[in-house]
Amino acid sequence: MAPLSIHIDPLFSEDPGVEELAETKEETADSVQSPWRLILYDDDIHTFEEVISQLMKATGCSLAKAEELTVKVHNEGKATVYEGDFEECLRIDGVLKEIQLVTEIKG
């Protein structure tokens, strides 16, 4: 009886998930560093004046900018009202939600 010989293919001897893990780490780092966006959605509850006032309070923007964003939300159904740091997105989001405006944070 001949002895049993085993051939190990070097391609299978390495951990197959190492490259995938490295790519995932890079993607995660990119998403943390990429700017965050706060999106405001249109609703049939709030008046233009309420939204304008709350945008100015939340973002510190001018009356003209708040009016521009409010019209965009009304006409397009949504608008990005802030882009930048995640913590600032959360702060602004909290102010907008004081009057139950509908928002979403995307990164």
Side-chain angles (χ1 to χ4, degrees):
M1 197 163 166
L4 181 65
S5 71
I6 300 175
H7 173 71
I8 299 177
D9 190 335
L11 291 176
F12 294 108
S13 64
E14 295 180 24
D15 183 0
V18 172
E19 284 185 28
E20 291 173 15
L21 183 60
E23 289 174 8
T24 302
K25 284 182 181 179
E26 286 178 19
E27 290 170 5
T28 302
D30 288 344
S31 69
V32 170
Q33 294 173 357
S34 67
W36 291 82
R37 294 174 299 151
L38 179 60
I39 300 166
L40 176 63
Y41 290 90
D42 190 27
D43 66 37
D44 294 328
I45 299 166
H46 298 89
T47 65
F48 275 61
E49 292 78 20
E50 289 172 325
V51 176
I52 290 166
S53 175
Q54 206 65 12
L55 279 170
M56 290 171 55
K57 178 181 176 183
T59 66
C61 69
S62 67
L63 174 62
K65 181 65 177 177
E67 288 173 340
E68 175 188 323
L69 289 170
T70 302
V71 169
K72 184 172 182 175
V73 168
H74 177 72
N75 291 335
E76 298 179 19
K78 65 182 179 179
T80 299
V81 296
Y82 176 79
E83 187 172 317
D85 185 62
F86 180 72
E87 286 78 18
E88 187 65 5
C89 269
L90 283 178
R91 186 194 68 75
I92 294 169
D93 185 54
V95 176
L96 295 177
K97 287 187 175 177
E98 287 174 355
I99 64 167
Q100 288 76 44
L101 290 172
V102 180
T103 61
E104 179 182 20
I105 296 175
K106 287 190 173 186

XYZ file of all heavy atoms in Angstrom:
837
model
N 0.827 -1.164 0.000
C 0.000 0.000 0.000
C 0.882 1.241 0.000
O 1.803 1.340 0.787
C -0.869 -0.065 1.240
C -2.025 0.817 1.189
S -3.126 0.192 2.481
C -4.196 1.376 2.650
N 0.572 2.185 -0.902
C 1.381 3.391 -1.044
C 1.001 4.396 0.034
O -0.154 4.493 0.429
C 1.158 4.011 -2.418
N 1.992 5.157 0.539
C 1.684 6.176 1.549
C 0.821 7.289 0.936
O 0.928 7.616 -0.243
C 3.050 6.707 1.983
C 3.989 6.316 0.897
C 3.398 5.125 0.207
N -0.042 7.858 1.755
C -0.942 8.926 1.333
C -0.160 10.229 1.254
O 0.530 10.610 2.186
C -2.082 9.061 2.353
C -3.123 10.114 2.066
C -3.893 9.777 0.799
C -4.094 10.216 3.227
N -0.258 10.902 0.117
C 0.427 12.196 0.010
C -0.624 13.295 -0.153
O -1.607 13.127 -0.855
C 1.408 12.201 -1.157
O 0.709 12.210 -2.368
N -0.383 14.383 0.525
C -1.310 15.514 0.475
C -0.582 16.698 -0.119
O 0.519 17.042 0.310
C -1.826 15.874 1.882
C -2.546 14.676 2.491
C -2.717 17.099 1.839
C -2.978 14.890 3.917
N -1.212 17.323 -1.093
C -0.645 18.518 -1.714
C -1.445 19.732 -1.231
O -2.660 19.768 -1.348
C -0.716 18.423 -3.238
C -0.303 19.683 -3.926
N 0.995 20.103 -3.963
C -1.030 20.626 -4.581
C 1.064 21.246 -4.630
N -0.163 21.589 -5.005
N -0.763 20.701 -0.672
C -1.428 21.920 -0.212
C -1.151 23.016 -1.219
O -0.003 23.371 -1.467
C -0.936 22.340 1.181
C -1.249 21.241 2.181
C -1.560 23.663 1.589
C -0.738 21.512 3.570
N -2.210 23.518 -1.804
C -2.100 24.616 -2.770
C -1.833 25.903 -2.003
O -2.588 26.268 -1.112
C -3.410 24.734 -3.560
C -3.297 25.678 -4.733
O -2.438 26.587 -4.692
O -4.077 25.514 -5.687
N -0.746 26.621 -2.305
C -0.409 27.840 -1.565
C -1.504 28.919 -1.653
O -1.609 29.757 -0.791
C 0.892 28.322 -2.186
C 1.083 27.546 -3.426
C 0.214 26.333 -3.347
N -2.313 28.891 -2.689
C -3.373 29.888 -2.800
C -4.425 29.714 -1.705
O -5.070 30.666 -1.296
C -4.059 29.804 -4.169
C -3.216 30.241 -5.356
C -3.993 30.008 -6.651
C -2.815 31.696 -5.242
N -4.585 28.488 -1.235
C -5.593 28.224 -0.218
C -5.014 28.230 1.189
O -5.740 28.133 2.151
C -6.290 26.893 -0.484
C -7.103 26.924 -1.744
C -6.687 26.242 -2.879
C -8.274 27.670 -1.804
C -7.431 26.284 -4.041
C -9.015 27.717 -2.964
C -8.592 27.027 -4.089
N -3.701 28.350 1.327
C -3.100 28.321 2.649
C -3.190 29.684 3.342
O -3.031 29.784 4.538
C -1.644 27.854 2.569
O -0.894 28.788 1.824
N -3.447 30.748 2.590
C -3.583 32.073 3.184
C -5.035 32.313 3.576
O -5.940 31.703 3.037
C -3.139 33.144 2.192
C -1.672 33.067 1.849
C -1.271 34.139 0.854
O -1.965 35.176 0.781
O -0.288 33.936 0.158
N -5.230 33.234 4.485
C -6.588 33.595 4.912
C -7.267 34.344 3.782
O -6.818 35.411 3.375
C -6.513 34.468 6.170
C -7.888 34.822 6.708
O -8.891 34.404 6.114
O -7.935 35.508 7.737
N -8.360 33.824 3.217
C -8.998 34.460 2.069
C -9.666 35.785 2.416
O -9.946 36.581 1.537
C -10.045 33.432 1.615
C -10.325 32.624 2.836
C -9.045 32.600 3.614
N -9.891 36.079 3.685
C -10.592 37.304 4.053
C -9.684 38.489 4.325
O -10.152 39.583 4.582
N -8.373 38.316 4.270
C -7.442 39.393 4.609
C -7.580 40.582 3.671
O -7.680 41.719 4.116
C -5.982 38.866 4.622
C -4.993 39.998 4.783
C -5.803 37.855 5.729
N -7.619 40.327 2.368
C -7.766 41.434 1.410
C -9.110 42.122 1.572
O -9.206 43.333 1.533
C -7.595 40.935 -0.024
C -6.160 40.678 -0.387
C -6.020 40.307 -1.849
O -6.859 40.734 -2.659
O -5.074 39.582 -2.162
N -10.169 41.337 1.763
C -11.500 41.912 1.943
C -11.544 42.777 3.193
O -12.148 43.845 3.204
C -12.551 40.808 2.041
C -12.764 40.069 0.740
C -13.695 38.875 0.905
O -14.385 38.797 1.933
O -13.707 38.037 -0.003
N -10.898 42.332 4.269
C -10.868 43.080 5.513
C -10.139 44.406 5.316
O -10.589 45.450 5.788
C -10.197 42.254 6.612
C -10.139 42.873 7.992
C -11.552 43.159 8.499
C -9.423 41.961 8.963
N -9.035 44.399 4.595
C -8.286 45.626 4.337
C -9.123 46.615 3.531
O -9.137 47.810 3.819
C -6.989 45.308 3.601
N -9.856 46.120 2.535
C -10.717 47.001 1.735
C -11.835 47.584 2.585
O -12.169 48.755 2.463
C -11.299 46.224 0.555
C -10.287 45.891 -0.511
C -10.858 44.995 -1.598
O -12.076 44.760 -1.604
O -10.075 44.518 -2.431
N -12.404 46.782 3.479
C -13.480 47.255 4.351
C -12.969 48.340 5.283
O -13.640 49.338 5.506
C -14.063 46.090 5.172
O -14.526 45.091 4.279
C -15.199 46.559 6.054
N -11.760 48.171 5.812
C -11.180 49.188 6.697
C -10.988 50.503 5.947
O -11.253 51.566 6.482
C -9.852 48.709 7.280
C -10.014 47.703 8.395
C -8.675 47.319 8.965
C -8.818 46.290 10.070
N -7.528 45.890 10.618
N -10.526 50.434 4.701
C -10.334 51.643 3.902
C -11.667 52.328 3.641
O -11.776 53.543 3.743
C -9.646 51.306 2.576
C -8.184 50.994 2.699
C -7.561 50.616 1.358
O -8.159 50.933 0.310
O -6.484 50.010 1.371
N -12.698 51.556 3.291
C -14.017 52.127 3.019
C -14.581 52.791 4.262
O -15.172 53.863 4.200
C -14.974 51.039 2.528
C -14.650 50.536 1.142
C -15.446 49.299 0.763
O -16.326 48.882 1.539
O -15.182 48.743 -0.310
N -14.383 52.163 5.439
C -14.880 52.724 6.691
C -14.164 54.031 6.995
O -14.794 55.018 7.365
C -14.679 51.732 7.854
O -15.349 50.524 7.525
C -15.210 52.285 9.156
N -12.867 54.073 6.813
C -12.114 55.302 7.066
C -12.580 56.408 6.137
O -12.741 57.562 6.559
C -10.619 55.051 6.883
N -12.824 56.087 4.877
C -13.299 57.094 3.926
C -14.665 57.625 4.330
O -14.923 58.813 4.255
C -13.388 56.508 2.510
C -12.012 56.272 1.901
O -11.019 56.823 2.427
O -11.938 55.525 0.908
N -15.569 56.745 4.779
C -16.917 57.195 5.122
C -16.919 58.047 6.376
O -17.733 58.946 6.516
C -17.869 56.011 5.268
O -17.542 55.256 6.404
N -16.013 57.798 7.313
C -15.924 58.613 8.522
C -15.398 59.998 8.171
O -15.847 60.998 8.720
C -15.021 57.927 9.573
C -14.711 58.863 10.725
C -15.674 56.656 10.083
N -14.468 60.066 7.240
C -13.873 61.338 6.866
C -14.731 62.113 5.874
O -14.598 63.324 5.768
C -12.477 61.110 6.277
C -11.507 60.572 7.302
C -10.184 60.178 6.684
O -9.995 60.260 5.480
N -9.259 59.741 7.509
N -15.613 61.437 5.159
C -16.422 62.129 4.168
C -17.450 62.992 4.882
O -17.883 62.676 5.984
C -17.109 61.136 3.236
O -18.060 60.382 3.936
N -17.862 64.086 4.257
C -18.831 64.959 4.914
C -20.188 64.290 5.071
O -20.605 63.492 4.250
C -18.921 66.165 3.984
C -18.332 65.748 2.698
C -17.444 64.579 2.964
N -20.853 64.644 6.147
C -22.190 64.161 6.431
C -23.178 65.190 5.914
O -22.877 66.379 5.856
C -22.350 63.961 7.932
C -21.530 62.829 8.436
C -20.195 62.855 8.752
C -21.955 61.491 8.645
N -19.781 61.608 9.149
C -20.838 60.756 9.099
C -23.173 60.847 8.503
C -20.912 59.407 9.407
C -23.252 59.498 8.822
C -22.123 58.784 9.267
N -24.362 64.723 5.529
C -25.391 65.621 5.009
C -26.656 65.491 5.832
O -27.047 64.389 6.201
C -25.711 65.282 3.553
C -24.561 65.545 2.606
C -24.868 65.056 1.228
N -25.076 63.601 1.315
C -25.860 62.901 0.504
N -26.500 63.479 -0.481
N -26.005 61.605 0.648
N -27.282 66.625 6.080
C -28.572 66.655 6.757
C -29.611 67.062 5.724
O -29.517 68.132 5.124
C -28.556 67.637 7.924
C -29.870 67.778 8.689
C -30.315 66.451 9.282
C -29.733 68.828 9.771
N -30.563 66.179 5.503
C -31.591 66.403 4.484
C -32.907 66.729 5.182
O -33.303 66.044 6.122
C -31.739 65.157 3.595
C -30.401 64.865 2.913
C -32.860 65.342 2.577
C -30.302 63.506 2.295
N -33.563 67.774 4.706
C -34.869 68.176 5.204
C -35.909 67.803 4.157
O -35.736 68.101 2.973
C -34.897 69.682 5.469
C -36.236 70.284 5.908
C -36.691 69.702 7.239
C -36.110 71.804 6.002
N -36.984 67.142 4.605
C -38.043 66.700 3.706
C -39.265 67.600 3.814
O -39.557 68.155 4.870
C -38.444 65.251 4.012
C -37.380 64.261 3.618
C -36.383 63.890 4.512
C -37.355 63.714 2.342
C -35.399 62.983 4.148
C -36.375 62.809 1.970
C -35.399 62.448 2.878
O -34.423 61.561 2.505
N -39.999 67.687 2.720
C -41.227 68.467 2.670
C -42.320 67.769 3.459
O -42.359 66.542 3.549
C -41.659 68.633 1.202
C -42.788 69.628 1.032
O -42.922 70.543 1.863
O -43.542 69.485 0.058
N -43.199 68.569 4.058
C -44.398 68.031 4.690
C -45.544 69.017 4.486
O -45.332 70.137 4.039
C -44.174 67.712 6.177
C -43.909 68.939 7.038
O -44.521 70.000 6.793
O -43.109 68.837 7.975
N -46.737 68.580 4.777
C -47.913 69.432 4.593
C -48.367 70.052 5.904
O -49.482 70.568 5.989
C -49.061 68.607 3.993
C -48.747 68.129 2.585
O -48.025 68.851 1.870
O -49.214 67.042 2.212
N -47.532 70.015 6.914
C -47.916 70.480 8.246
C -47.366 71.874 8.551
O -48.085 72.727 9.040
C -47.434 69.473 9.320
C -48.090 68.117 9.070
C -47.720 69.984 10.722
C -47.459 66.979 9.829
N -46.089 72.089 8.248
C -45.427 73.336 8.632
C -45.579 74.423 7.572
O -45.546 74.140 6.376
C -43.944 73.082 8.909
C -43.726 72.149 10.046
N -43.657 70.785 9.888
C -43.606 72.377 11.371
C -43.480 70.219 11.063
N -43.451 71.159 11.982
N -45.692 75.650 8.030
C -45.760 76.793 7.111
C -44.353 77.162 6.665
O -43.362 76.772 7.299
C -46.394 78.018 7.801
O -45.519 78.449 8.864
C -47.777 77.702 8.347
N -44.285 77.933 5.598
C -42.994 78.437 5.128
C -42.311 79.212 6.249
O -41.103 79.072 6.474
C -43.177 79.339 3.906
C -43.231 78.595 2.603
C -44.204 77.653 2.346
C -42.288 78.847 1.622
C -44.245 76.967 1.141
C -42.317 78.178 0.414
C -43.299 77.237 0.169
N -43.058 80.038 6.945
C -42.488 80.873 8.007
C -41.883 80.023 9.124
O -40.809 80.339 9.639
C -43.552 81.820 8.570
C -44.003 82.901 7.613
C -44.985 82.410 6.538
O -45.627 81.348 6.717
O -45.089 83.091 5.506
N -42.559 78.926 9.496
C -42.036 78.051 10.547
C -40.722 77.407 10.116
O -39.758 77.358 10.888
C -43.055 76.958 10.882
C -44.281 77.434 11.615
C -45.341 76.367 11.760
O -45.510 75.525 10.839
O -46.007 76.373 12.807
N -40.692 76.919 8.897
C -39.483 76.245 8.402
C -38.337 77.240 8.273
O -37.206 76.960 8.693
C -39.754 75.528 7.060
C -38.478 74.912 6.506
C -40.835 74.462 7.226
N -38.608 78.392 7.721
C -37.576 79.431 7.565
C -36.999 79.805 8.926
O -35.775 79.852 9.112
C -38.155 80.665 6.837
C -38.428 80.327 5.376
C -37.220 81.869 6.960
C -39.298 81.341 4.647
N -37.862 80.054 9.874
C -37.426 80.441 11.217
C -36.574 79.346 11.866
O -35.522 79.624 12.458
C -38.649 80.743 12.079
O -38.266 81.008 13.398
N -37.004 78.095 11.731
C -36.274 76.990 12.361
C -34.939 76.745 11.672
O -33.955 76.422 12.339
C -37.136 75.727 12.365
C -36.798 74.764 13.463
C -37.079 75.289 14.864
O -37.731 76.304 15.059
N -36.561 74.595 15.847
N -34.886 76.911 10.363
C -33.604 76.774 9.649
C -32.611 77.843 10.100
O -31.428 77.544 10.315
C -33.811 76.870 8.132
C -34.298 75.602 7.443
C -34.701 75.904 5.998
C -33.217 74.519 7.477
N -33.089 79.053 10.258
C -32.206 80.132 10.721
C -31.708 79.838 12.137
O -30.527 80.023 12.441
C -32.936 81.478 10.663
C -33.172 81.946 9.241
S -34.252 83.388 9.107
C -33.450 84.567 10.162
N -32.593 79.367 12.985
C -32.231 79.024 14.368
C -31.220 77.876 14.388
O -30.247 77.911 15.133
C -33.490 78.640 15.150
C -33.244 78.227 16.575
C -34.560 77.854 17.256
C -34.336 77.333 18.663
N -35.597 76.901 19.285
N -31.457 76.861 13.585
C -30.621 75.652 13.602
C -29.255 75.860 12.976
O -28.251 75.381 13.494
C -31.350 74.514 12.891
N -29.227 76.538 11.830
C -27.969 76.637 11.074
C -27.281 77.987 11.196
O -26.112 78.110 10.840
C -28.210 76.370 9.569
O -29.026 77.423 9.044
C -28.866 75.021 9.339
N -28.020 79.000 11.645
C -27.439 80.339 11.710
C -27.358 81.002 10.350
O -26.666 82.004 10.184
N -28.070 80.468 9.372
C -28.025 81.031 8.020
C -28.860 82.314 7.946
O -29.662 82.608 8.835
C -28.498 80.011 6.988
S -30.255 79.607 7.065
N -28.700 83.021 6.860
C -29.444 84.264 6.645
C -30.891 83.966 6.280
O -31.231 82.836 5.904
C -28.792 85.059 5.509
O -28.961 84.359 4.286
N -31.710 84.996 6.351
C -33.105 84.878 5.948
C -33.196 84.449 4.485
O -33.968 83.552 4.142
C -33.831 86.211 6.163
C -35.271 86.296 5.654
C -36.159 85.292 6.361
C -35.812 87.715 5.817
N -32.380 85.051 3.638
C -32.398 84.731 2.202
C -32.057 83.255 1.962
O -32.699 82.579 1.154
C -31.444 85.636 1.438
N -31.035 82.748 2.660
C -30.629 81.347 2.490
C -31.720 80.413 3.009
O -32.043 79.395 2.378
C -29.305 81.076 3.219
C -28.792 79.659 3.074
C -28.435 79.346 1.640
C -27.849 77.949 1.515
N -27.552 77.587 0.142
N -32.320 80.736 4.151
C -33.396 79.912 4.706
C -34.599 79.888 3.774
O -35.224 78.841 3.588
C -33.788 80.428 6.090
N -34.910 81.025 3.176
C -36.015 81.085 2.212
C -35.706 80.228 0.995
O -36.555 79.482 0.506
C -36.281 82.532 1.786
C -36.924 83.374 2.852
C -37.033 84.851 2.482
O -36.289 85.316 1.574
O -37.853 85.543 3.104
N -34.476 80.324 0.498
C -34.043 79.539 -0.670
C -34.163 78.038 -0.385
O -34.687 77.279 -1.208
C -32.597 79.902 -1.004
C -31.969 79.095 -2.114
C -30.471 79.390 -2.248
O -30.054 80.546 -2.072
O -29.732 78.428 -2.527
N -33.690 77.606 0.785
C -33.762 76.185 1.148
C -35.207 75.723 1.309
O -35.569 74.628 0.868
C -32.983 75.928 2.443
C -31.460 76.009 2.328
C -30.823 75.993 3.716
C -30.923 74.867 1.467
N -36.037 76.560 1.904
C -37.441 76.210 2.119
C -38.179 76.045 0.796
O -38.959 75.097 0.618
C -38.129 77.264 3.004
O -37.420 77.335 4.252
C -39.579 76.912 3.276
N -37.923 76.929 -0.143
C -38.546 76.827 -1.467
C -38.066 75.558 -2.177
O -38.859 74.849 -2.807
C -38.267 78.093 -2.312
C -38.662 77.887 -3.762
C -38.984 79.294 -1.716
N -36.769 75.254 -2.037
C -36.231 74.040 -2.663
C -36.897 72.794 -2.073
O -37.284 71.877 -2.811
C -34.711 73.968 -2.482
C -34.084 72.787 -3.184
C -32.577 72.843 -3.150
C -32.022 71.664 -3.922
N -30.588 71.696 -4.043
N -37.028 72.754 -0.745
C -37.701 71.620 -0.091
C -39.128 71.494 -0.614
O -39.592 70.401 -0.938
C -37.689 71.788 1.450
C -38.619 70.790 2.112
C -36.275 71.645 1.989
N -39.823 72.611 -0.700
C -41.208 72.606 -1.161
C -41.328 72.120 -2.608
O -42.177 71.286 -2.928
C -41.800 74.007 -1.031
C -43.194 74.128 -1.539
N -44.276 73.578 -0.875
C -43.705 74.715 -2.660
C -45.373 73.826 -1.562
N -45.052 74.514 -2.649
N -40.460 72.622 -3.480
C -40.541 72.293 -4.906
C -39.992 70.914 -5.257
O -40.512 70.242 -6.147
C -39.819 73.349 -5.744
C -40.536 74.680 -5.748
O -41.749 74.744 -5.550
N -39.789 75.749 -5.960
N -38.932 70.489 -4.580
C -38.255 69.231 -4.928
C -38.564 68.089 -3.961
O -38.158 66.957 -4.188
C -36.753 69.458 -5.021
C -36.383 70.459 -6.115
C -34.887 70.726 -6.214
O -34.084 69.903 -5.709
O -34.535 71.764 -6.788
N -39.224 68.406 -2.855
C -39.560 67.374 -1.880
C -38.527 67.181 -0.796
O -38.801 66.587 0.245
N -37.312 67.680 -1.036
C -36.238 67.583 -0.049
C -35.083 68.484 -0.463
O -34.996 68.897 -1.626
C -35.741 66.150 0.092
C -35.070 65.601 -1.156
C -34.644 64.164 -0.958
C -33.983 63.620 -2.228
N -33.546 62.234 -2.064
N -34.210 68.769 0.502
C -33.003 69.553 0.211
C -31.970 69.285 1.293
O -32.314 69.037 2.453
C -33.318 71.043 0.164
N -30.711 69.319 0.899
C -29.626 69.230 1.877
C -29.494 70.598 2.528
O -29.236 71.591 1.848
C -28.303 68.826 1.195
O -28.471 67.534 0.594
C -27.160 68.779 2.193
N -29.674 70.637 3.852
C -29.622 71.915 4.558
C -28.308 72.109 5.302
O -28.014 73.207 5.771
C -30.819 72.083 5.529
C -32.128 72.121 4.740
C -30.854 70.985 6.581
N -27.510 71.037 5.412
C -26.178 71.147 6.023
C -25.309 70.023 5.500
O -25.779 68.895 5.315
C -26.252 71.071 7.556
C -24.882 71.087 8.196
C -24.178 72.277 8.347
C -24.272 69.906 8.602
C -22.897 72.281 8.890
C -23.000 69.907 9.146
C -22.314 71.092 9.297
O -21.045 71.105 9.823
N -24.041 70.313 5.296
C -23.060 69.304 4.924
C -21.787 69.588 5.686
O -21.268 70.704 5.638
C -22.793 69.344 3.414
C -21.917 68.206 2.942
C -21.814 68.128 1.436
O -22.839 68.282 0.754
O -20.693 67.900 0.949
N -21.307 68.574 6.415
C -20.077 68.763 7.184
C -19.940 67.744 8.293
O -20.272 66.569 8.133
N -19.480 68.211 9.431
C -19.171 67.405 10.598
C -20.404 66.668 11.140
O -21.499 67.238 11.209
C -18.596 68.341 11.669
C -18.134 67.605 12.894
O -17.220 66.783 12.762
O -18.711 67.853 13.970
N -20.226 65.413 11.536
C -21.329 64.594 12.028
C -21.973 65.186 13.283
O -23.197 65.226 13.399
C -20.854 63.166 12.310
C -21.946 62.270 12.829
C -22.964 61.839 11.992
C -21.960 61.870 14.157
C -23.978 61.018 12.460
C -22.979 61.051 14.636
C -23.981 60.624 13.786
N -21.149 65.647 14.224
C -21.691 66.203 15.461
C -22.546 67.435 15.185
O -23.587 67.648 15.809
C -20.568 66.547 16.451
C -19.925 65.331 17.110
C -18.933 64.609 16.209
O -18.459 65.197 15.212
O -18.652 63.427 16.491
N -22.127 68.260 14.234
C -22.907 69.445 13.871
C -24.214 69.034 13.186
O -25.249 69.658 13.392
C -22.076 70.377 12.974
C -22.738 71.704 12.685
C -22.935 72.613 13.897
O -22.483 72.283 15.012
O -23.561 73.670 13.723
N -24.165 67.977 12.375
C -25.397 67.436 11.776
C -26.379 67.046 12.871
O -27.575 67.358 12.782
C -25.093 66.205 10.926
S -24.752 66.530 9.210
N -25.890 66.367 13.883
C -26.754 65.949 14.988
C -27.342 67.151 15.726
O -28.524 67.145 16.081
C -25.981 65.072 15.979
C -25.738 63.632 15.588
C -24.909 62.932 16.659
C -27.036 62.892 15.366
N -26.531 68.169 15.955
C -27.010 69.349 16.667
C -28.108 70.045 15.872
O -29.187 70.354 16.393
C -25.857 70.334 16.924
C -26.273 71.528 17.789
C -25.257 72.651 17.750
N -25.179 73.300 16.449
C -26.097 74.155 15.971
N -27.182 74.439 16.656
N -25.932 74.711 14.786
N -27.856 70.277 14.582
C -28.835 70.939 13.717
C -30.098 70.093 13.602
O -31.217 70.608 13.657
C -28.222 71.238 12.332
C -27.095 72.271 12.476
C -29.280 71.727 11.354
C -26.249 72.448 11.222
N -29.918 68.788 13.455
C -31.050 67.870 13.374
C -31.939 67.999 14.612
O -33.168 68.046 14.511
C -30.535 66.439 13.226
C -31.638 65.430 13.011
O -32.442 65.617 12.084
O -31.679 64.444 13.766
N -31.318 68.087 15.772
C -32.073 68.230 17.014
C -32.911 69.501 17.045
O -34.062 69.495 17.494
N -32.347 70.591 16.544
C -33.078 71.860 16.509
C -34.245 71.779 15.527
O -35.357 72.229 15.830
C -32.137 73.039 16.164
C -32.918 74.339 16.021
C -31.038 73.191 17.215
N -34.022 71.194 14.364
C -35.099 71.074 13.377
C -36.221 70.174 13.903
O -37.397 70.424 13.646
C -34.565 70.547 12.045
C -33.580 71.463 11.320
C -33.062 70.794 10.054
C -34.195 72.817 11.011
N -35.860 69.167 14.651
C -36.867 68.240 15.179
C -37.639 68.816 16.366
O -38.627 68.233 16.786
C -36.220 66.908 15.525
C -35.872 66.127 14.264
C -35.385 64.741 14.567
C -35.186 63.992 13.255
N -34.641 62.667 13.440
N -37.188 69.965 16.890
C -37.943 70.610 17.974
C -39.387 70.889 17.542
O -40.294 70.871 18.362
C -37.285 71.939 18.377
C -36.005 71.798 19.140
C -35.319 73.126 19.396
O -35.782 74.180 18.905
O -34.292 73.108 20.106
N -39.574 71.157 16.250
C -40.933 71.410 15.746
C -41.405 70.263 14.841
O -42.275 70.426 14.013
C -41.054 72.780 15.039
C -40.186 72.846 13.782
C -40.731 73.917 15.990
C -40.493 74.033 12.876
N -40.770 69.104 15.002
C -41.123 67.869 14.292
C -40.943 67.950 12.768
O -41.726 67.369 12.007
C -42.561 67.416 14.614
C -42.749 66.852 16.007
C -42.771 67.923 17.081
O -43.413 68.948 16.922
N -42.070 67.694 18.162
N -39.908 68.652 12.338
C -39.588 68.620 10.916
C -39.004 67.242 10.599
O -38.391 66.600 11.453
C -38.579 69.714 10.561
C -39.131 71.142 10.617
C -38.009 72.156 10.446
C -40.197 71.355 9.553
N -39.200 66.776 9.371
C -38.747 65.450 8.956
C -37.372 65.584 8.319
O -37.193 66.283 7.329
C -39.743 64.816 7.955
C -39.263 63.438 7.533
C -41.140 64.750 8.568
N -36.391 64.888 8.910
C -35.006 64.995 8.467
C -34.370 63.617 8.348
O -34.911 62.621 8.837
C -34.177 65.825 9.458
O -34.190 65.160 10.723
C -34.701 67.230 9.602
N -33.199 63.610 7.719
C -32.403 62.389 7.611
C -30.947 62.786 7.535
O -30.587 63.736 6.851
C -32.797 61.617 6.355
C -32.012 60.354 6.133
C -32.391 59.627 4.852
O -32.981 60.246 3.943
O -32.081 58.433 4.755
N -30.096 62.047 8.262
C -28.645 62.254 8.199
C -28.056 61.151 7.355
O -28.317 59.972 7.583
C -28.023 62.263 9.609
C -28.551 63.441 10.426
C -26.496 62.304 9.506
C -28.080 63.445 11.865
N -27.247 61.545 6.362
C -26.574 60.572 5.488
C -25.077 60.845 5.515
O -24.659 61.994 5.518
C -27.081 60.679 4.049
C -28.472 60.133 3.856
C -28.795 60.063 2.396
C -30.122 59.359 2.188
N -30.401 59.144 0.789
N -24.302 59.777 5.470
C -22.851 59.912 5.473
C -22.228 59.193 4.330
O -22.816 58.486 3.598
